[in-house]
Amino acid sequence: MDTDAEQVGDDARGFDTDVAVVGGGPAGCAAGVFTARGDLETLLFDRGPSSLRRCASLENYLGFPCGIDVETFLELARDHAAAAGCRIREDLVESVTSLADGGFRLEPQDGDPVTARFVIAATKYDGAYLRGLDDDALFTVEEQDGETAERFDRDYPADDGRTPIDGLYVAGPLAGCGDQAIIAAGHGATAARALFRDLRRKDGYWGRFADRYDWRRDAADRRDEWADPERWVELFDVEAPDDYERSEIRRLAEAYAADREKTYVDPETADRRAERGQRRLAAAIDDEILLEAVDDESIREYGCGLDRASASDE
């Protein structure tokens, strides 16, 4: 198990989940993908009004040259979160309150309450469910058309989604990052990475070593000298703050090296994952459109291949 999971496991005893994500749009799903892939138990609440569902067609999200209908995009986003390990609960969070010993209690509209070590608020609208956490700073009063209205202060979170409340992060439009789906998704990932950075700093990492990178590397690019944990121990020893003990430096360096080693993927595994990804995308496409996109000769060759395989089995 990696260092992040061990650290959270110590802190999360007695909580129903490590991370509760409120909102299942682009920001919430992206945040959930990152936290779940980082071995944090993640519960994603997804029910309520969605500005994206009012969009007729999503035509500026990178990777879909001719656009994609919103329902298919949201289906893929939720499926991605679930595949990463998120539990998805179709319930509306009505309130979030701080617990005396740290963490939060979430009161949903229908189901049982949930406790979580971390909360990522990833909804677009007024953030009323956060009322009571830090009202003097969380909400601001504005005057519109001669009337005053109170709204969530989008300047309250930092650029990376951190808030002054320990364990609370805000992602997406509620944090003032913008309404475009691609920007909201990117900010969801940013908030999740900020959460990991805070965790790793608590565990002792500093500077660039506190960042957690969620990526897969080509095994062919692995340099032999960096496959040796002792090389990382040497590097950490040079860059560690002066007050770090040698045993602590070694622990962190060996854990870092082990995590980095797990990011390398051999070509066969990469090919399998690529095929799996394409098959999932194909499953989201209407069958008639999929057939139209494939030329007749390819269909005939595929059919002949199936016939040959069937004959050989007989």
Side-chain angles (χ1 to χ4, degrees):
M1 184 175 293
D2 65 22
T3 304
D4 299 330
E6 290 174 356
Q7 175 70 22
V8 173
D10 291 340
D11 288 344
R13 284 175 296 188
F15 293 101
D16 297 319
T17 188
D18 294 325
V19 182
V21 179
V22 183
C29 286
V33 165
F34 273 73
T35 56
R37 282 175 56 85
D39 293 329
L40 297 184
E41 184 179 358
T42 302
L43 176 62
L44 191 152
F45 288 90
D46 182 21
R47 200 184 79 191
S50 170
S51 58
L52 187 58
R53 285 193 168 92
R54 300 208 307 267
C55 177
S57 177
L58 184 57
E59 298 180 352
N60 58 3
Y61 200 100
L62 191 65
F64 300 100
C66 294
I68 182 172
D69 68 280
V70 170
E71 289 305 319
T72 298
F73 174 80
L74 288 173
E75 176 192 342
L76 289 169
R78 281 174 51 117
D79 189 31
H80 194 169
C86 292
R87 290 182 292 128
I88 298 178
R89 179 167 163 178
E90 295 188 7
D91 207 344
L92 185 69
V93 173
E94 294 190 325
S95 68
V96 177
T97 55
S98 297
L99 298 175
D101 296 328
F104 304 90
R105 176 185 175 92
L106 294 88
E107 295 280 354
Q109 188 174 72
D110 298 325
D112 294 331
V114 171
T115 58
R117 175 68 181 90
F118 305 100
V119 168
I120 299 178
T123 54
K124 175 183 177 180
Y125 295 102
D126 62 5
Y129 56 91
L130 299 175
R131 190 175 299 281
L133 290 176
D134 188 6
D135 282 353
D136 291 341
L138 270 173
F139 294 88
T140 184
V141 177
E142 291 184 342
E143 185 171 336
Q144 295 179 345
D145 300 326
E147 297 182 356
T148 59
E150 191 177 49
R151 68 164 180 82
F152 184 86
D153 186 356
R154 284 165 168 75
D155 292 327
Y156 183 76
D159 290 344
D160 61 3
R162 285 190 181 91
T163 73
I165 300 172
D166 186 31
L168 175 67
Y169 300 80
V170 182
L174 194 64
C177 79
D179 291 347
Q180 298 293 291
I182 195 166
I183 298 172
H187 194 260
T190 296
R193 291 193 66 210
L195 188 159
F196 276 113
R197 191 177 302 116
D198 289 342
L199 273 176
R200 291 172 66 83
R201 284 173 177 165
K202 287 181 180 179
D203 194 38
Y205 288 100
W206 66 90
R208 60 189 175 116
F209 300 116
D211 286 321
R212 181 183 188 277
Y213 294 97
D214 185 357
W215 64 332
R216 294 295 178 262
R217 312 165 193 239
D218 187 340
D221 292 335
R222 184 194 285 111
R223 294 170 56 186
D224 291 340
E225 66 266 30
W226 292 108
D228 182 2
E230 288 301 319
R231 183 69 181 86
W232 290 101
V233 174
E234 294 172 5
L235 178 63
F236 271 53
D237 193 37
V238 170
E239 298 191 13
D242 293 338
D243 57 345
Y244 274 54
E245 295 183 359
R246 177 72 180 180
S247 59
E248 178 69 357
I249 293 173
R250 173 169 288 276
R251 179 185 73 83
L252 293 169
E254 290 179 347
Y256 188 92
D259 287 345
R260 192 175 189 274
E261 183 66 21
K262 289 187 293 186
T263 66
Y264 287 103
V265 177
D266 60 78
E268 293 78 11
T269 301
D271 288 344
R272 287 197 303 271
R273 292 182 179 181
E275 180 180 348
R276 181 182 64 188
Q278 291 188 20
R279 288 184 182 278
R280 180 58 189 92
L281 286 175
I285 302 173
D286 181 88
D287 289 345
E288 292 186 3
I289 294 176
L290 191 61
L291 288 172
E292 287 177 6
V294 181
D295 61 84
D296 292 342
E297 183 61 29
S298 295
I299 294 175
R300 281 193 293 271
E301 288 180 3
Y302 182 73
C304 289
L306 291 179
D307 291 339
R308 287 193 295 270
S310 178
S312 63
D313 290 340
E314 295 175 356

